[in-house]
Amino acid sequence: MERTSEVSIFNPAAFQHLSGVFGVDTQFGIFLGSLRQAVLTFNLFSDKSSHFGFAGPMLNSHLSPILALGVGVALIYLFRIQGWLLISWFAGVVLAGALTIDAPTWSRMLPVLPVVGLLVAFGLDRLRVSLVESGGLWLDQLTVVGAVGLILITGAQNFVSYTDYMGYEADQYSYIGRAAAQLPVDQPI
């Protein structure tokens, strides 16, 4: 429990830090700012982790609108157990991520990834069903090909952006700098 209180936004040291970050002086204002960043990490804010710190949103720009569609459809199906479970899982992890200091820290929000995948798939499925119902059966195969194309294009773009990032962050100078940071202060380099 000590680590939990250490990284909580209710910690007095965290309150002082976050009030400067968000420019507010109330606990509720800090919570709203942290919640905003945790919710928008899927399409706007990058990871603030000191270890990883990927400089981009959690989802590709193709998938974040489909996630919003999936969340909306799951909210419509909230009366069914599947919709309720998806929304409560998603909201619970995002809320937990918002209650920690320096949100969004992706290492604390990893449990949301499976439900994000399910919500994106749910949104794609509902979009496909709506298009087939309004446009006819000829759209059935076209939407399947479109979904596969979207997955392939998104995967390729994510691979390229991640390898570019790792090529920049995982070079020999970064390794030497991280190793030097671990040395005692009085150790000459």
Side-chain angles (χ1 to χ4, degrees):
M1 286 309 265
E2 185 176 323
R3 179 69 180 152
T4 302
S5 64
E6 216 176 277
V7 298
S8 171
I9 62 171
F10 302 112
N11 184 346
F15 177 79
Q16 184 179 5
H17 166 69
L18 292 175
S19 63
V21 168
F22 295 122
V24 295
D25 57 354
T26 64
Q27 197 71 43
F28 186 68
I30 288 173
F31 171 70
L32 287 180
S34 184
L35 183 64
R36 175 181 173 267
Q37 289 190 336
V39 169
L40 293 178
T41 190
F42 300 106
N43 65 342
L44 184 62
F45 292 113
S46 60
D47 184 17
K48 288 190 179 176
S49 172
S50 59
H51 298 292
F52 307 109
F54 181 70
M58 192 178 276
L59 292 181
N60 192 300
S61 62
H62 300 116
L63 295 182
S64 55
I66 298 172
L67 173 66
L69 176 66
V71 169
V73 172
L75 283 171
I76 291 172
Y77 286 104
L78 200 56
F79 63 92
R80 297 180 67 189
I81 189 72
Q82 295 92 343
W84 186 85
L85 286 173
L86 288 173
I87 291 299
S88 61
W89 183 0
F90 182 79
V93 174
V94 169
L95 182 64
L99 291 175
T100 59
I101 192 170
D102 292 332
T105 302
W106 290 358
S107 59
R108 297 182 191 131
M109 292 187 66
L110 281 179
V112 82
L113 288 180
V115 75
V116 164
L118 290 171
L119 286 170
V120 167
F122 194 44
L124 270 176
D125 179 62
R126 294 294 94 193
L127 183 63
R128 185 189 67 79
V129 167
S130 298
L131 286 173
V132 168
E133 285 179 358
S134 65
L137 279 177
W138 67 274
L139 281 175
D140 192 22
Q141 294 299 318
L142 185 65
T143 55
V144 170
V145 170
V148 169
L150 177 71
I151 291 169
L152 291 175
I153 288 171
T154 301
Q157 285 179 342
N158 287 346
F159 177 77
V160 168
S161 66
Y162 184 73
T163 54
D164 286 348
Y165 171 75
M166 286 309 294
Y168 175 72
E169 288 292 317
D171 60 352
Q172 60 186 347
Y173 305 111
S174 300
Y175 288 130
I176 292 170
R178 289 188 191 106
Q182 298 296 324
L183 294 174
V185 177
D186 58 347
Q187 172 95 20
I189 299 177

